[in-house]
């Protein structure tokens, strides 16, 4: 296959792609939900568990030393992957949701109250919505929202007015529904000019784009491991050290503590101050293997592959299904990530996804944890196909064929 | 392995394409009850005109969702329209009995009062929905409108003038 990635070879690295479902090969088009794992990740976790597993930062015997080094090795890999200046600024959480909650509970509750405002967008995932709705209820913080254009982009015409006086702007790097790549750098500059901080929800961004938190200019960056070929159970937050230093602890207990006395406690130093309890140790090992796998492919090539394959999908879906299919989000592949949400005439997304499943084609149907966006689009649900490094044109062809089948079944 | 023909029976597709009793009633005097399936966003609104003796004078359905939730609502509306409260409740029990084993298993809860089959109740067309049981994630789609109806009947009974 011509193109930026040797997908035929890559497919062989993912054991699950060998399996058969409903008598068909597995055509996995739900990586925006969670990605599959290459053998390198599976084996790294297995090898570590078999040879070096122990709790970390607590014991002096050899395997505990090894385990601590392996866990911190995961942090260093992630620091490099997002180009953070220091590993002290890279905090492990269980996922992106917890990372955003960390900012809401620690930084925002400590710094914001009545009279303060936060600027969000209408396309946010519930993970970057609900923590702020809760904060509004509890602290009386005002929430404002950047609307959308018909083409599925952020409508920035009113940005100056909306951003005036806010303390935080929180935005997805890439929308998990529309695929829109948001102008993070522009928002960072606007936020800083307005005296605000910028939080980027990078759950969909980091798996697909070379991520440089310094070039993006953000202040908080949340990411999640399971969408970037890593295991579930690990994600994280990056923030500048002086911000993290000034923030109170979030979850408390063991590991995050330096001293505990009957009359009080002192937190640990960064990054452990924000890592309460036994962390995802094996997962950090898997995450490192995932980072190294993606680095081996090269994130520029990953991005190029996304653009090529998304372009192929947009083109063939439109050619083949014409007016029957409505695709949401930007029409230009260069303006979007590898996510295609669509509605098919006369076939509800759940039914569509059920019919596709019979051909081994996995797509997600539903509101994609973005109900405000669904309301904005005027739909209750969409079907969503999303591609990643192990998908090729044959997978998109399989999607197209099973859509024909659904169309036949539900034809009036 | 269950196939699509187990799920998408012709009669289900017919009710999906041509839903019966679709629309709204003025509420009040009618009762308006909403049901949501938070997992998938299906929603059903049941409008009930309940007589003083509890019988279902009229019923209308609105909302949006998949073929299973919408056809189940449509068939339900045809089945309970004109029925006494007792008959409607018996239908609800019979329908849920057809679905319930798997629904209980899904959320892991043991119902204290296991739903008994209703040997005397004829489900008729509704039996077409039996195939849904083979697709456990879809059971909640099929039962959504029935749970909503049950809630409406309860509200109607609570509001009813005590005889
Ligand atoms: C844009 C976006 N933000 C946040 C999340 C939440 O990620 P997680 O469930 O791993 O916390 C997701 C994924 O579901 C997402 O797509």
């Amino acid at each position: 296959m011509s193109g930026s990635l040797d997908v035929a070879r890559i497919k062989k690295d993912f054991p699950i792609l060998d399996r058969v479902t409903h008598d068909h090969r597995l055509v996995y088009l739900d990586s925006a939900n969670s990605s599959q794992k290459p053998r390198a990740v599976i084996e790294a976790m297995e090898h570590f568990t078999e040879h070096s597993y122990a709790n970390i930062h607590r014991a002096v015997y050899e395997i505990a030393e090894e385990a601590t080094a392996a866990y911190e090795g995961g942090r260093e890999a992630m620091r490099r992957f997002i180009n953070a200046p220091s590993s002290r600024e890279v905090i492990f959480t269980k996922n992106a949701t917890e990372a955003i909650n960390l900012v809401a509970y620690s930084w925002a509750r400590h710094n914001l109250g009545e009279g303060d405002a936060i600027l969000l967008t209408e396309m946010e995932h519930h993970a970057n919505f609900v923590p702020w709705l809760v904060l509004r209820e509890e602290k009386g913080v005002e929430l404002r929202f950047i609307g959308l254009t018909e083409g599925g982009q952020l409508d920035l015409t009113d940005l100056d007015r909306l951003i005036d006086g806010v303390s935080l702007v929180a935005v997805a790097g890439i929308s998990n529904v529309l695929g829109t790549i948001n102008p993070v750098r522009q928002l960072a500059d606007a936020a800083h000019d307005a005296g605000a901080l910028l939080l980027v929800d990078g759950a969909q961004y980091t798996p697909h784009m070379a991520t440089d938190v310094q070039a993006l200019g953000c202040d908080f960056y949340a990411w999640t491991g399971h969408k970037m070929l890593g295991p579930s159970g690990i994600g994280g937050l990056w923030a500048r050290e002086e911000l993290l230093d000034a923030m109170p602890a979030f979850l408390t207990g063991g590991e995050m503590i330096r001293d505990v006395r009957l009359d009080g406690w002192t937190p640990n130093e960064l990054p452990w101050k924000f890592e309460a309890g036994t962390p995802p140790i094996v997962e950090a090992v898997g995450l490192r293997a995932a980072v190294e796998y993606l680095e081996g492919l090269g994130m520029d090539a990953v991005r190029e592959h996304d653009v090529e394959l998304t372009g192929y999908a947009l083109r063939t879906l439109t050619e083949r299904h014409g007016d029957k299919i409505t695709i949401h989000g930007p029409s230009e592949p260069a303006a979007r990530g590898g996510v295609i949400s669509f509605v098919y005439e006369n076939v509800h997304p759940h039914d569509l996804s059920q019919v596709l499943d019979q051909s081994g084609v996995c797509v997600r149907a539903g509101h994609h944890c973005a109900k405000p966006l669904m309301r904005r689009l005027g739909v209750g649900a969409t079907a969503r196909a999303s591609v990643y490094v192990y998908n090729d044109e044959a997978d998109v062809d399989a999607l197209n064929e099973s859509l024909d089948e659904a169309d036949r079944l539900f034809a009036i | 392995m269950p196939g699509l023909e187990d799920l998408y029976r012709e009669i289900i597709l017919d009710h999906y394409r041509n839903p019966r009793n679709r629309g709204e009633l003025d509420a009040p005097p009618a009762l308006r009850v909403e049901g949501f399936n938070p997992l998938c966003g299906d929603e059903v609104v049941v409008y009930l005109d309940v007589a003083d003796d509890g019988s279902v004078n009229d019923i209308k359905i609105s909302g949006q969702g998949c073929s299973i939730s919408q056809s189940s609502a449509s068939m339900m509306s045809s089945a309970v329209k004109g029925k006494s409260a007792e008959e409607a409740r018996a239908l609800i029990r019979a329908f849920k009995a057809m679905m319930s084993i798997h629904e209980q298993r899904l959320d892991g809860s043991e119902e204290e009062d296991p739903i008994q089959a209703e040997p005397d109740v004829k489900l008729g067309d509704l039996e077409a929905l039996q195939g849904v049981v083979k697709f456990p994630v879809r059971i909640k789609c099929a039962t959504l409108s029935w749970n909503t109806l049950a809630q409406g009947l309860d509200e109607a009974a609570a509001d009813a003038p005590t005889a």
Side-chain angles (χ1 to χ4, degrees):
Chain A
M1 190 193 137
S2 67
S4 38
L5 294 179
D6 183 354
V7 179
R9 209 205 74 230
I10 292 173
K11 274 187 188 285
K12 294 203 177 75
D13 292 337
F14 289 76
I16 201 170
L17 298 180
D18 284 340
R19 80 158 275 181
V20 166
T21 170
H22 299 295
D23 294 331
H24 289 80
R25 77 179 175 94
L26 186 67
V27 177
Y28 189 74
L29 292 171
D30 196 20
S31 297
N33 197 352
S34 200
S35 71
Q36 297 299 346
K37 322 302 170 199
R39 190 172 286 107
V41 168
I42 300 166
E43 285 178 354
M45 294 171 77
E46 187 178 299
H47 181 84
F48 172 77
T49 308
E50 286 180 357
H51 291 86
S52 304
Y53 182 78
N55 212 329
I56 56 160
H57 295 303
R58 291 184 187 181
V60 294
Y61 44 82
E62 186 175 25
I63 61 169
E65 297 273 358
E66 287 172 17
T68 302
Y71 177 72
E72 294 302 331
R75 192 190 314 277
E76 171 55 23
M78 204 57 214
R79 182 206 65 74
R80 190 174 67 233
F81 199 55
I82 60 173
N83 196 32
S86 156
S87 59
R88 294 165 56 81
E89 302 173 338
V90 178
I91 291 152
F92 281 144
T93 61
K94 90 173 170 277
N95 48 36
T97 304
E98 187 184 311
I100 296 169
N101 272 276
L102 195 168
V103 179
Y105 277 85
S106 171
W107 180 82
R109 265 178 188 62
H110 192 64
N111 289 295
L112 306 185
E114 229 156 289
D116 293 318
I118 295 176
L119 180 58
L120 306 171
T121 86
E122 287 185 359
M123 65 166 83
E124 296 310 306
H125 186 280
H126 292 169
N128 197 25
F129 238 120
V130 186
W132 310 117
L133 296 177
V134 172
L135 188 76
R136 178 171 69 183
E137 275 168 25
E138 285 181 12
K139 293 282 193 173
V141 170
E142 180 198 350
L143 298 185
R144 302 177 193 167
F145 303 94
I146 300 177
L148 306 181
T149 67
E150 284 310 308
Q153 303 275 0
L154 292 179
D155 181 358
L156 298 177
T157 43
D158 233 5
L159 183 63
D160 287 350
R161 187 183 57 79
L162 281 170
I163 210 167
D164 184 42
V166 307
S167 303
L168 179 73
V169 180
V171 61
I174 295 183
S175 159
N176 65 314
V177 177
L178 301 170
T180 317
I181 301 173
N182 285 320
V184 171
R185 180 73 226 193
Q186 184 187 350
L187 288 169
D189 292 341
H192 295 152
D193 285 347
L197 299 179
L198 178 72
L199 178 148
V200 174
D201 169 2
Q204 298 290 346
Y205 190 89
T206 291
H208 293 271
M209 312 282 285
T211 304
D212 181 336
V213 291
Q214 300 181 64
L216 287 173
C218 59
D219 302 285
F220 298 105
Y221 189 90
W223 50 273
T224 199
H226 66 95
K227 294 187 205 280
M228 50 178 283
L229 308 183
S232 59
I234 192 164
L237 176 73
W238 169 81
R240 282 184 292 105
E241 187 165 343
E242 65 268 25
L243 276 171
L244 291 170
D245 265 333
M247 282 158 58
F250 169 37
L251 300 173
T252 57
E255 206 72 31
M256 54 71 62
I257 207 84
R258 170 174 295 152
D259 188 24
V260 182
R261 304 167 305 277
L262 291 183
D263 66 351
W265 57 281
T266 328
N268 203 341
E269 58 188 86
L270 290 173
W272 307 291
K273 170 182 163 184
F274 291 105
E275 294 180 0
T278 300
I281 303 168
V282 183
E283 288 73 12
V285 171
L287 181 71
R288 173 183 179 168
V291 164
E292 288 170 355
Y293 188 91
L294 286 170
E295 285 171 339
L297 299 179
M299 288 308 291
D300 290 338
V302 169
R303 171 65 189 147
E304 222 176 289
H305 172 70
D306 274 351
V307 175
E308 287 163 6
L309 195 52
T310 309
Y312 178 75
L314 289 172
R315 202 165 59 247
T316 53
L317 284 166
T318 315
E319 274 169 17
R320 189 147 169 176
H321 307 282
D323 290 344
K324 289 181 180 163
I325 197 167
T326 308
I327 299 174
H328 294 285
S331 51
E332 249 318 290
R336 58 193 295 156
V339 171
I340 299 179
S341 284
F342 59 94
V343 174
Y344 208 90
E345 190 181 71
N346 298 326
V347 193
H348 189 274
H350 291 154
D351 295 314
L352 199 67
S353 158
Q354 189 95 54
V355 176
L356 267 48
D357 175 53
Q358 296 289 314
S359 306
V361 177
C362 308
V363 301
R364 182 164 172 198
H367 53 63
H368 314 293
C369 301
K371 287 198 99 172
L373 175 56
M374 292 288 126
R375 289 202 181 90
R376 169 66 177 73
L377 298 175
V379 295
T382 69
R384 181 186 70 184
S386 51
V387 300
Y388 206 12
V389 295
Y390 36 70
N391 292 118
D392 58 12
E393 294 186 355
D395 294 337
V396 174
D397 294 344
L399 169 68
N400 271 310
E401 274 153 35
S402 54
L403 283 174
D404 280 344
E405 243 168 80
D407 185 37
R408 271 196 299 278
L409 186 66
F410 280 85
I412 297 193
Chain B
M1 193 168 51
L4 288 176
E5 61 286 356
D6 293 314
L7 190 60
Y8 298 122
R9 304 274 176 77
E10 196 43 51
I11 190 153
I12 293 179
L13 295 178
D14 176 56
H15 275 268
Y16 177 51
R17 291 174 191 135
N18 310 297
R20 324 293 198 265
N21 301 303
R22 183 100 190 147
E24 302 181 0
L25 296 174
D26 280 337
L31 259 173
R32 180 182 186 280
V33 202
E34 286 180 10
F36 289 99
N37 182 347
L39 218 60
C40 53
D42 284 353
E43 79 186 47
V44 126
V45 188
V46 176
Y47 294 87
L48 282 176
D49 173 4
V50 180
D52 285 351
D53 67 0
S55 57
V56 181
N57 278 346
D58 200 4
I59 178 169
K60 293 274 186 219
I61 306 284
S62 70
Q64 50 161 357
C66 67
S67 62
I68 303 301
S69 71
Q70 300 302 302
S71 65
S72 182
S74 168
M75 289 191 221
M76 176 193 82
S77 69
S78 308
V80 302
K81 190 166 169 176
K83 293 278 167 23
S84 73
E86 267 328 294
E87 290 166 325
R89 285 183 196 281
L91 268 170
I92 296 175
R93 282 195 299 274
F95 185 78
K96 293 191 75 173
M98 187 168 83
M99 297 285 154
S100 64
I101 317 151
H102 293 256
E103 191 180 26
Q104 283 173 36
R105 205 191 284 155
L106 259 190
D107 47 28
S109 59
E110 295 280 335
E111 294 217 0
E112 282 176 19
D113 181 19
I115 300 170
Q116 302 295 326
E118 296 272 329
D120 299 336
V121 179
K122 295 271 171 293
L123 281 169
D125 284 359
L126 286 162
E127 281 175 8
L129 284 162
Q130 199 153 21
V132 174
V133 188
K134 296 178 189 161
F135 297 83
V137 279
R138 305 301 293 274
I139 292 176
K140 285 208 154 47
C141 307
T143 53
L144 176 64
S145 57
W146 294 83
N147 290 331
T148 312
L149 172 67
Q151 189 190 332
L153 292 176
D154 287 349
E155 285 177 23
D159 292 350
T162 38

